[in-house]
Amino acid sequence: MTKILGIETSCDDTGVAIYDSQKGIIADLLASQITTHEKYGGIVPELASRDHLKKILPLIQALLQTAQLEPSDLSAIAYTKGPGLIGALLVGAAVGRSLAYAWQIPAIGVHHLEGHLLVPMLESPAPTYPFVALLVSGGHTLLAFVQKFGQYQLLGESVDDAAGEAFDKTARLLGLPYPGGPAIAKLAESADPMAVQKIRLPRPMLDRSGLDFSFSGLKTAVRQCIEQYPDKADPRWKANIAAAFQEAVVETLYEKCRRALVFCGCDTLVVSGGVSANKRLREKLKELGKTSYYPRMAWCMDNGAMIAYAGYLHYLEKQFEPLSIQVQPRWPLLDAAQLNG
Ligand code: KG4
Ligand code: ZN
């Protein structure tokens, strides 16, 4: 029986989990830093690193206790090697690499996006290869054709802001708290549908062929809309803009997914990353008439489970880290796939 400890520290969540090759995820803990960063309206990288540093060892201890395991029960330690904030990544990599050395087991460096991409595999029913994957997080928006583990073809990606970033920036413009995605989604629920229809926001890149995304123009359009909104006496005016913005993002993602499925001749869509928690997106993607798979809500956002699971797949391929502590703050998914292949 193989047991992999997974560590995720690429951004503002300290996530640890244990994947058991027979039982699946047997323990999963997360320490969120939202209260540290929300007063700044975004993530402060140095504070994120310090917070990871404070929390990570007690969290791993608590994880082993929860799973009722000793370090000697573990087969390997997987940690997020990139992409992400360099200081935050270094905490997870230094702790993961060092513990693996001390416990005399292999260390595995995992690509954060590969973790997001494969975590729906832990659900039941799980998607079967090949599938089209839409990865929509705070740092990335991309479409990939996944033939099998390690074989990823990039179909398109954002040329500027990621979808989650657009949610976060728009939320800031509307005076909503960080992270913006859940705040916008919640506010949008109280919108007036008639008023929302009257708000004209662009559907970026839909007029062009290809599968790339662009969200920075949409953010500018929202800013103008806020400045020029005709009826700020309406208590729902912010909710209306939030709903119109959400609809513009959702429609754009929907159309690109539709095209990607046609392009690949594929019937299976896998959606992951923080924005995949968005209910309106899930509802809209049903209109594709294809089978769509999502991670459970807790695994849409950053978590240790996805790193433990991807780490397990690398473990089977004996893809281990050298003794040095290495991170890659910028790391295209395609490069990682080539390494795997
Ligand atoms: O995957 P994730 O936890 O971290 C990154 O790797 O970036 O994604 C975080 C992003 C944030 O931008 C957040 O605003 C967005 O996911 N998000 C949402 C929702 N929940 C989280 N966006 C839209 N709707 C949601 N319900
Ligand atoms: Zn992420």
Side-chain angles (χ1 to χ4, degrees):
M1 216 177 344
T2 307
K3 290 189 179 66
I4 310 286
L5 165 63
I7 301 175
E8 155 61 32
T9 63
S10 68
C11 194
D12 61 338
D13 289 307
T14 320
V16 293
I18 295 170
Y19 178 78
D20 177 311
S21 57
Q22 285 186 355
K23 300 180 191 155
I25 296 293
I26 52 171
D28 179 21
L29 296 177
L30 188 83
S32 162
Q33 301 183 0
I34 285 183
T35 48
T36 308
H37 302 286
E38 67 186 351
K39 49 183 166 294
Y40 303 101
I43 295 158
V44 184
E46 191 47 37
L47 295 183
S49 325
R50 286 187 217 177
D51 210 76
H52 286 306
L53 205 53
K54 265 192 268 174
K55 288 176 179 160
I56 191 158
L57 286 174
L59 210 59
I60 292 173
Q61 270 172 334
L63 184 80
L64 289 171
Q65 256 174 19
T66 313
Q68 298 193 313
L69 292 179
E70 297 295 327
S72 56
D73 296 319
L74 295 173
S75 318
I77 300 182
Y79 50 83
T80 305
K81 185 176 173 183
L85 302 170
I86 186 165
L89 287 169
L90 274 169
V91 176
V95 168
R97 179 57 277 188
S98 309
L99 286 180
Y101 178 68
W103 295 341
Q104 299 189 342
I105 49 177
I108 299 161
V110 172
H111 194 291
H112 181 77
L113 299 187
E114 187 174 50
H116 275 303
L117 211 69
L118 298 175
V119 75
M121 288 293 191
L122 291 172
E123 303 301 343
S124 152
T128 48
Y129 299 116
F131 55 75
V132 168
L134 170 70
L135 205 152
V136 268
S137 71
H140 297 86
T141 295
L142 62 85
L143 272 162
F145 185 49
V146 178
Q147 268 124 336
K148 60 176 191 167
F149 166 61
Q151 268 189 25
Y152 317 123
Q153 185 189 343
L154 186 67
L155 302 170
E157 62 188 331
S158 179
V159 297
D160 42 54
D161 292 354
E165 193 179 356
F167 268 96
D168 295 335
K169 288 180 175 169
T170 298
R172 223 170 148 166
L173 291 174
L174 287 169
L176 299 173
Y178 177 84
I184 288 198
K186 182 146 198 315
L187 185 63
E189 282 172 17
S190 54
D192 168 7
M194 297 296 283
V196 175
Q197 269 187 4
K198 287 190 203 140
I199 301 174
R200 297 258 168 263
L201 290 176
R203 271 49 177 162
M205 310 283 272
L206 286 194
D207 51 345
R208 290 188 217 172
S209 62
L211 296 167
D212 282 339
F213 303 87
S214 162
F215 289 107
S216 71
L218 180 57
K219 179 191 62 197
T220 310
V222 171
R223 181 180 295 127
Q224 280 167 358
C225 180
I226 292 173
E227 282 163 11
Q228 295 160 10
Y229 199 80
D231 184 13
K232 286 187 179 161
D234 178 354
R236 288 192 284 180
W237 76 274
K238 283 189 179 182
N240 297 340
I241 295 176
F245 163 78
Q246 178 173 258
E247 212 49 34
V249 175
V250 163
E251 263 181 38
T252 305
L253 295 176
Y254 166 87
E255 179 54 20
K256 296 281 170 167
C257 286
R258 194 191 63 74
R259 291 182 196 176
L261 288 162
V262 172
F263 179 74
C264 296
C266 182
D267 279 335
T268 310
L269 178 70
V270 168
V271 191
S272 58
V275 182
S276 71
N278 188 279
K279 287 201 194 112
R280 179 67 194 119
L281 176 65
R282 291 184 178 212
E283 199 179 276
K284 179 78 185 168
L285 289 177
K286 280 190 196 149
E287 291 174 23
L288 288 168
K290 308 281 182 194
T291 323
S292 300
Y293 295 85
Y294 301 86
R296 67 193 64 176
M297 286 296 173
W299 294 343
C300 288
M301 269 54 91
D302 291 347
N303 62 84
M306 66 184 196
I307 303 305
Y309 176 63
Y312 167 68
L313 299 176
H314 286 282
Y315 178 86
L316 294 179
E317 308 271 321
K318 297 197 170 41
Q319 289 160 340
F320 303 138
E321 287 292 302
L323 278 179
S324 54
I325 296 163
Q326 295 176 2
V327 294
Q328 271 182 253
R330 286 170 177 272
W331 188 9
L333 180 64
L334 226 55
D335 288 0
Q338 274 153 10
L339 283 180
N340 293 344

